[in-house]
Amino acid sequence: MFKPKGPNCQSCGMPLSKDPLGGGSNADGSLSSEYCSHCYRKGMFMQPNITPEEMMKLVEGKLRSMHFPGFLARRYAREVPNLRRWRAKRGTQAARVADTDLQPRA
């Protein structure tokens, strides 16, 4: 499948080469090499409480508004949970679930 050259945002998957600002910004004002300006500015996520499922819907909706075919928009959106921002949360949630499974039940 066609993949744009260069890195993608590790929150939404957008190619950083398509970001009008060239990427998000770190707390020190430097350009982020991992996140786009829509997701990350001044070292903070623009939507810190968004879930991977909500991000998938946002990405699919944006791609559809750009006239991507539905099947392709869904295909790209399905990749969101595999991005670095969400993998870290998924690992934390899995560890929490594993810990609660080990607790004796009253």
Side-chain angles (χ1 to χ4, degrees):
M1 178 172 280
F2 171 76
K3 287 220 171 210
K5 291 182 181 176
N8 293 339
C9 174
Q10 292 301 303
S11 178
C12 70
M14 181 179 91
L16 293 179
S17 62
K18 299 291 184 184
D19 189 327
L21 301 179
S25 57
N26 296 313
D28 64 3
S30 64
L31 206 57
S32 171
S33 62
E34 291 189 289
Y35 301 108
C36 72
S37 63
H38 303 288
C39 293
Y40 196 71
R41 291 189 191 156
K42 298 180 183 177
M44 297 173 58
F45 286 109
M46 301 304 296
Q47 296 177 310
N49 299 321
I50 193 170
T51 66
E53 293 77 21
E54 291 169 331
M55 182 62 82
M56 288 171 64
K57 287 180 183 177
L58 192 98
V59 167
E60 183 178 345
K62 179 61 178 173
L63 292 173
R64 284 176 177 258
S65 76
M66 295 169 63
H67 306 291
F68 275 67
F71 77 94
L72 199 52
R74 283 187 301 278
R75 168 69 180 91
Y76 283 123
R78 276 198 313 250
E79 294 299 317
V80 167
N82 298 324
L83 298 171
R84 195 168 299 119
R85 177 182 182 185
W86 310 114
R87 283 192 313 234
K89 287 186 179 193
R90 194 172 60 215
T92 303
Q93 289 170 346
R96 245 186 266 133
V97 169
D99 287 344
T100 57
D101 286 344
L102 297 176
Q103 302 298 321
R105 298 185 196 258

